[in-house]
């Protein structure tokens, strides 16, 4: 009932907000390479910088310039914003936000420390991470763990407004970074392991009033889909397409949470994002395609109405959430320049779509070990076009509950998880931090209790047979769907990448190294061991004429949950603990910013 | 009764251990500048290194080489040991010890994490600090917060033996670094703010059996003093000299704890250390000189028997503990070369003594703001020779309880606290990290309950009138008792200093800067902002032909207790919170090691 009311209200609000004029500030600022104005680098999620003071010739001389401890342990995902001489950084729970003065080695201008009920911690599935804050119009937006959305005055850190986006007592939490589009801030929600029904919500940046909310699953009106106009593979999705793909009321606890990244194309006025796994992880408990979990959505930025969508992994059996970022790049596919959307899915396939229409162009494995599907059906005349061609041996549905299915690749945390890739318009390459991990998966029957875990599977993770590298950092050609080069890493590369006009690509490792490699060849040019494992996203900015590289260290996240939460049982941490046990030999918990620069003033 | 039995046992044990042969390992190793084999640098507490690869000409090019997060927040005092390619670092409570591999950017060889009852935390007066581990014969010695003394196998981190040195339920805790002398490890105890009766205890390194224990206050036999042979100012102290200086049984809860540093002169076979404040801080509750609180002790290393002692601050009224390090240096005093002991006391006087006889040679203020005493009486014919000449206005005894005495300098944390100074045999100068802080002090009547705070005074601290620097880093001529140069610092310099043959002196600041200055002039040559405030002690070592500088960051300690323990009431943290409130604008909690080197392989 509550959902219905909110859905109706959302409809009303969207009408009111529909005519709002565009806010050109971020469109201008995202082009200023001196700043880093949004977590994703730009609306297209390129995480590319036009700065080239640091380049392939001199990056080997890079050195730590100043550092800052956040005072918080556990996993530090996301990265700093830099806006006109001020850096804004955030922490995992309790989600402290610091404004740091760049002209004084990060002297603290203000700190905002929300008071949150620590009971939110046990309902955060995969560490107490937060992926960053957003900025517009002199306000900083924070999506707290307890789902409180806060607008802070960027000058003072004072609260301008706050809104509750969900209810942690039902397992609703937040980890996703907000994105500001025009006069709205987009907010995602987490908790599919607690049966949370996902949605994306747009709040008006001025006062926090609700603009629209679009659920991932359920009735068409609550999903903001039009049975006739919203398309998948060019065809209208039809009436009640989600409801029909679920048995009974399972959709009400059906997952499809929205804890990943958002993208925005200002020319098309479309926002893009993916939805997470259907609940529970025991696929036998939810017959059907479970629409629209595991789905890429393209929505109108003003109204939230879906223009097109694409469900990558219907009826998921492996927890291959579809939330990874959508990188909007105009690239050549099959000899034709396309307005593309490139997405590296947890399921191990790298997808290239036409972002105007949602047409599927390329879908190839970006790690050869992927074995749960042979390929994505690319035959447009086929009834299964766009669907993965499953390998029965790795189905966790087939044997039903309590059957241990062994050797599935990738593991539940996917060939890539939240760690965002980068796109360089110079090389036309995508630089992708990946996992190289397989799993055994045993589903079990689970019943739903609000606020209690609703996982329904026991997992263990391990490197692919005969391998000891649990990660690779790869360069990907999204036009052809081929790996250009690949750097093996001991552990998953859980950090976000940065590419630059200097021809250098940066990423961090779980052991704690910041690495710089040649964008063309992948040759390692520099590395530095930061205080703790890196799961943050590297960025760059210019201050007083000098280019800096910045990254948050702080081991944790799903891959590092054993260290972060002090878990030792191999199957704990949703299966991640055992596989990553050796991480403990390399690093310990921390939360630090390291800012790098070339020597000299 | 318990005390008596332990005292008797100690007497027996000391006889048995008396004939043990000297262990030459540390005497050899302390001379090898490639290693840093004891927390104090060497037995003489010089914190000086003969390495000169990093020197005044090139130190400006220094850069962070690798870093390591300890995974623990709150104050990180002390510093790493370096022994043959392995670095040993420790943390505050829970007192984790890491062995780090220098050839692999600090890859973790082993970690030892004791399980300690967290109830020890509230009985630690001045943050949960620990000042380091000691080494000998393939063993690492840790003095845990809960007073468990542990010997670890240096190769594996396995426990070889452990002994309980005190009882946290009575307020007995540990923060002091052990020192190994010959076949014994010296262990201090903390807790004078809980009425703990201090002692120094020597355990046999082989098996942890008790060698001897010497109390700071009480009966002669328990103090290991000889009424006829133990001297003060060249005269025997006489029978029951401590008991006579207390009213009734107050000595049993009389303080004199031993949480500072130890020194050792192998030629004289004497160990040196100072004792802390008498309990309580309300002086009216403990008439008499309160011997031997606030006292420098010279004891036989084999038997623990005191050769000489010197009480610097009889009947303390300001909490001027005498625990600061004794630096053993052969320097010229009044034209004569002396085997000197140099000590920068909390009370604001820098003392130079003959360490053979305990003869007082020099006692001068090392901060001009010191106002509680005009001078130390240096007239050998005077009955008050060696005693401070008090200024009535700043007596906290005179007005009795509940009288607020204002503007006393230094504050209770002294002109210097635990932060150790360095001595350079090249410049013959002492490099002293100091506090520049005054206080209001209001004693109040307090009754003793075991394990409960037994403080008896409310304090507030602030910079000297008209000043905004709460610290200075000074160079001191101990032969004349004069400041050579002084660098003002915004906050207390709570980090230990390092001087080197390269002519460079290093220290850290509470804001988090590692600074390098010219040993001759104090000119700043380099600074780097580490992740958190530095209260650790800088050291240096050589590995694979390259010189490194290492320091622990992690704001806290008494000066940083507001940040460390999240206190905001200005008089909280034994008075330190208000004065240091602005520290919060510069840094946040953390625990990191930063290792510096010059560029290049």
């Amino acid at each position: 009932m509550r959902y219905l009311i909110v859905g109706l209200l959302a409809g009303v609000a969207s009408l009111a907000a529909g005519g709002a004029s565009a806010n050109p500030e971020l469109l201008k600022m995202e082009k200023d390479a001196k700043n880093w104005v949004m977590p994703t680098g730009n609306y297209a999620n390129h995480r590319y910088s036009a700065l080239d003071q640091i380049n392939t010739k001199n990056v080997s001389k890079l050195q730590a310039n100043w550092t800052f401890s956040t005072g918080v342990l556990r996993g530090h995902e996301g990265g700093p914003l830099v806006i006109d001489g001020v850096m804004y950084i955030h922490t995992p729970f309790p989600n402290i936000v610091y404004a740091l003065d760049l002209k004084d080695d990060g002297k603290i201008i203000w700190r905002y420390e929300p008071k949150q009920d620590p009971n939110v911690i046990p309902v955060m599935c995969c560490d107490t991470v937060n992926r960053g804050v957003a900025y517009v119009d002199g306000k900083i937006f924070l999506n707290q763990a307890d789902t409180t959305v806060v607008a802070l005055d960027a000058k003072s850190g004072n609260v301008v407004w706050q809104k509750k986006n969900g209810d942690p007592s039902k397992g609703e939490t937040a980890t996703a970074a907000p994105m500001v589009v025009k006069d709205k801030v987009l907010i995602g929600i987490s908790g599919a392991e607690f049966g949370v029904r996902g949605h994306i919500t747009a709040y008006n940046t001025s006062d926090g009033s609700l603009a629209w909310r679009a659920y991932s699953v359920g009735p068409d009106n609550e999903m903001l889909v039009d049975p006739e106009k919203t398309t998948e593979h060019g065809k209208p999705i039809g009436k009640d397409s989600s409801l029909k793909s679920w048995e009974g009321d399972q959709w009400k606890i059906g997952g499809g949470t929205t804890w990943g990244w958002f993208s925005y194309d200002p020319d098309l006025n479309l926002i893009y994002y993916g939805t997470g796994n259907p609940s529970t992880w025991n696929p036998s408990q939810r017959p059907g395609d479970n629409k629209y979990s595991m789905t890429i959505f393209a929505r109108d930025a003003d109204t939230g109405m879906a223009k097109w969508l694409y469900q990558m992994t219907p009826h998921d059996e492996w927890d291959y959430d579809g939330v990874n970022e959508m990188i909007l790049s105009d690239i050549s596919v099959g000899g034709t320049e396309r307005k593309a959307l490139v997405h590296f899915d947890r399921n191990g396939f790298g997808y290239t779509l036409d972002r105007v229409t949602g047409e599927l162009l390329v879908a190839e494995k970006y790690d050869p070990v992927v074995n749960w599907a042979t390929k994505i059906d690319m035959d447009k005349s086929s009834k299964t076009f766009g669907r993965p061609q499953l390998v029965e041996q790795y189905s966790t549905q087939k044997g039903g509950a309590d059957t241990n299915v062994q050797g599935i690749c990738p593991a539940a945390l996917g060939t890539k998880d939240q760690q965002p890739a980068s796109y360089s318009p110079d090389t036309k390459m995508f630089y992708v931090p990946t996992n190289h991990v397989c799993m055994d998966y045993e589903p079990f029957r689970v019943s739903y209790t609000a606020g209690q875990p609703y996982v329904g599977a026991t997992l263990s993770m391990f490197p692919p047979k005969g391998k000891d590298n649990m990660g690779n950092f790869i360069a990907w050609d999204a036009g052809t769907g081929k790996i250009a080069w690949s750097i093996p890493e001991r552990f998953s590369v859980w950090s976000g990448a940065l590419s630059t006009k200097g021809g250098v690509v940066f990423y961090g490792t779980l052991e704690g190294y910041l690495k710089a490699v040649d964008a063309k060849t992948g040759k390692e040019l520099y590395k530095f061991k930061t205080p703790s494992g890196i799961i943050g996203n590297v960025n760059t900015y210019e201050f007083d004429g000098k280019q800096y590289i910045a990254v948050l260290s702080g081991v944790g996240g799903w891959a590092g949950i054993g260290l972060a939460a002090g878990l030792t049982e191999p199957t704990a941490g949703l299966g991640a603990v055992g596989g990553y046990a050796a991480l403990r030999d390399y690093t310990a918990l921390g939360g630090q910013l390291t800012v790098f620069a070339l020597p000299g003033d």
Side-chain angles (χ1 to χ4, degrees), chain A:
Chain A
M1 186 60 188
R2 180 178 156 271
Y3 291 127
L4 190 60
I5 291 169
V6 174
L8 289 172
L9 282 172
V12 175
S14 68
L15 287 174
S21 65
N23 183 324
E25 186 185 16
L26 291 180
L27 286 170
K28 191 177 155 196
M29 290 180 79
E30 71 161 7
K31 288 176 183 63
D32 177 7
K34 289 180 184 170
N35 287 333
W36 191 270
V37 75
M38 57 184 81
T40 55
N42 65 3
Y43 276 133
N45 277 243
H46 284 179
R47 297 176 184 273
Y48 166 85
S49 171
L51 299 180
D52 61 0
Q53 200 178 90
I54 297 166
N55 55 51
T56 52
K57 291 195 176 61
N58 61 24
V59 69
S60 68
K61 296 193 167 60
L62 208 62
Q63 60 185 48
N65 190 279
W66 59 274
T67 58
F68 180 83
S69 176
T70 68
V72 179
L73 302 175
R74 302 195 61 159
H76 283 58
E77 291 184 353
L81 300 186
V82 174
I83 297 157
D84 300 338
V86 180
M87 179 182 284
Y88 302 92
I89 63 170
H90 67 284
T91 76
F93 181 92
N95 305 130
I96 302 173
V97 181
Y98 293 94
L100 305 179
D101 192 344
L102 295 184
K103 72 173 181 299
D104 199 5
D105 290 348
K107 184 170 185 286
I108 300 166
I109 300 170
W110 54 258
R111 89 182 75 198
Y112 171 71
E113 183 164 353
K115 294 274 168 274
Q116 294 185 74
D117 185 342
N119 285 323
V120 73
I121 296 174
V123 284
M124 301 190 80
C125 77
C126 309
D127 204 3
T128 55
V129 296
N130 182 286
R131 295 189 194 84
V133 293
Y135 169 85
V136 83
D137 272 347
K139 293 194 196 85
I140 294 288
F141 299 92
L142 169 68
N143 189 13
Q144 289 178 196
D146 67 359
T147 77
T148 306
V149 181
V150 188
L152 301 170
D153 182 284
K155 288 260 181 289
S156 66
N158 293 335
V159 173
V160 181
W161 56 256
Q162 48 187 337
K163 290 279 164 180
K164 200 82 181 166
N165 188 52
D167 181 353
S169 76
K170 293 178 177 152
E172 293 175 338
T173 57
T175 59
M179 177 175 267
V180 171
V181 172
K182 298 169 128 180
D183 58 350
K184 299 177 186 68
V185 55
L186 305 177
I187 299 292
I189 199 156
S190 308
E193 281 61 51
F194 293 80
V196 168
R197 179 185 171 214
H199 52 72
I200 173 177
T201 308
Y203 294 95
N204 291 303
T205 57
S206 56
D207 60 3
S209 57
L210 185 73
W212 51 260
R213 167 171 288 182
Y215 284 89
S216 304
V217 299
D220 292 346
N221 67 322
E222 294 182 16
M223 288 181 59
L224 302 188
V225 295
D226 184 318
E228 305 306 322
K229 292 184 185 156
T230 302
T231 63
E232 184 171 24
H233 304 313
K235 297 178 190 120
I237 57 170
K239 191 168 172 345
D240 294 337
S241 58
S242 171
L243 292 177
K244 288 174 184 164
S245 73
W246 293 90
E247 191 175 77
D249 280 351
Q250 181 71 25
W251 60 270
K252 291 183 177 173
I253 50 171
T257 48
T258 55
W259 53 275
W261 304 97
F262 305 113
S263 308
Y264 171 56
D265 184 324
D267 297 329
L268 301 172
N269 197 37
L270 291 177
I271 56 163
Y272 303 91
Y273 68 98
T275 59
N277 63 287
S279 301
T280 118
W281 288 13
N282 177 6
S284 308
Q285 280 183 251
R286 44 170 173 74
D289 273 358
N290 311 134
K291 290 176 179 174
Y292 286 100
S293 65
M294 311 308 218
T295 297
I296 300 173
F297 273 94
R299 293 186 180 273
D300 182 277
D302 298 320
T303 64
M305 187 58 67
K307 184 179 178 198
W308 60 260
L309 52 77
Y310 167 40
Q311 189 183 38
M312 295 169 287
T313 312
H315 188 65
D316 167 72
E317 306 173 46
W318 313 270
D319 189 45
Y320 294 150
D321 291 51
V323 302
N324 294 355
E325 76 286 359
M326 313 296 160
I327 307 180
L328 314 183
S329 312
D330 297 347
I331 57 171
S332 173
V333 184
T336 310
E337 194 76 8
R338 301 297 293 249
K339 279 185 176 293
L341 173 157
V342 175
H343 168 78
F344 300 91
D345 199 61
R346 280 251 286 265
N347 72 16
F349 288 88
Y351 294 87
T352 306
L353 288 82
D354 183 307
R355 71 177 177 270
V356 184
T357 62
E359 180 189 352
L360 178 62
L361 304 174
V362 178
E364 295 291 342
K365 295 176 183 177
Y366 60 102
D367 183 349
V369 302
V370 172
N371 65 11
W372 66 281
T374 53
K375 60 169 188 172
I376 306 301
D377 185 352
M378 297 301 287
D379 179 358
K380 286 191 179 170
S381 65
S382 162
K383 278 179 77 174
T384 59
F385 174 65
R387 293 177 76 106
Q389 304 298 291
L390 306 188
V391 175
E392 200 179 84
Q393 175 184 354
Y394 301 115
S395 167
T396 73
Q397 160 88 45
K398 192 193 54 170
D402 307 321
T403 302
N404 192 272
V405 183
Q406 298 190 323
I408 305 167
C409 307
L413 38 62
T415 303
K416 190 180 88 66
D417 193 85
Q418 60 76 37
Q419 59 268 43
S422 173
Y423 169 70
S424 164
D426 305 325
T427 61
K428 306 272 184 194
M429 286 285 172
F430 293 79
Y431 301 98
V432 195
T434 75
N435 310 316
H436 188 58
V437 187
C438 304
M439 67 176 169
D440 297 341
Y441 191 113
E442 184 169 322
F444 62 83
R445 180 140 206 102
V446 62
S447 47
Y448 176 79
T449 305
Q452 294 302 310
Y454 187 58
V455 178
T458 304
L459 280 64
S460 60
M461 301 185 188
F462 41 81
K465 216 169 178 175
K467 299 293 185 70
D468 59 4
N469 63 310
M470 292 175 72
N472 293 296
F473 186 74
I474 70 168
W476 176 258
D477 179 337
T480 61
K482 287 192 170 23
I483 294 171
W485 49 253
S486 179
I487 303 168
E489 287 287 355
R490 174 70 184 82
F491 299 103
S492 291
V493 187
W494 208 264
S495 142
L498 166 74
S499 61
T500 70
K501 198 173 187 62
V504 184
V505 179
F506 297 88
Y507 66 97
T509 75
L510 275 175
E511 298 102 308
Y513 283 100
L514 176 86
K515 293 192 175 182
V517 302
D518 188 308
K520 293 213 178 82
T521 63
K523 187 190 167 195
E524 185 178 295
L525 303 173
Y526 174 78
K527 69 171 180 176
F528 178 85
K529 183 107 185 249
T530 71
S532 180
I534 300 179
I535 62 171
N537 306 326
V538 192
N539 80 0
T540 187
Y541 62 93
E542 185 183 306
F543 179 70
D544 261 359
K546 196 176 171 88
Q547 183 183 357
Y548 295 86
I549 304 291
V551 70
L552 284 172
S553 302
V555 73
W558 191 357
I561 188 67
L563 269 176
L567 308 175
T568 51
E569 180 65 33
T571 57
L574 299 178
V577 171
Y580 293 87
L583 187 51
R584 173 183 169 78
D585 296 339
Y586 291 86
T587 195
L589 293 191
Q592 304 90 12
L593 172 80
T594 307
V595 175
F596 299 82
L598 294 172
D601 290 326

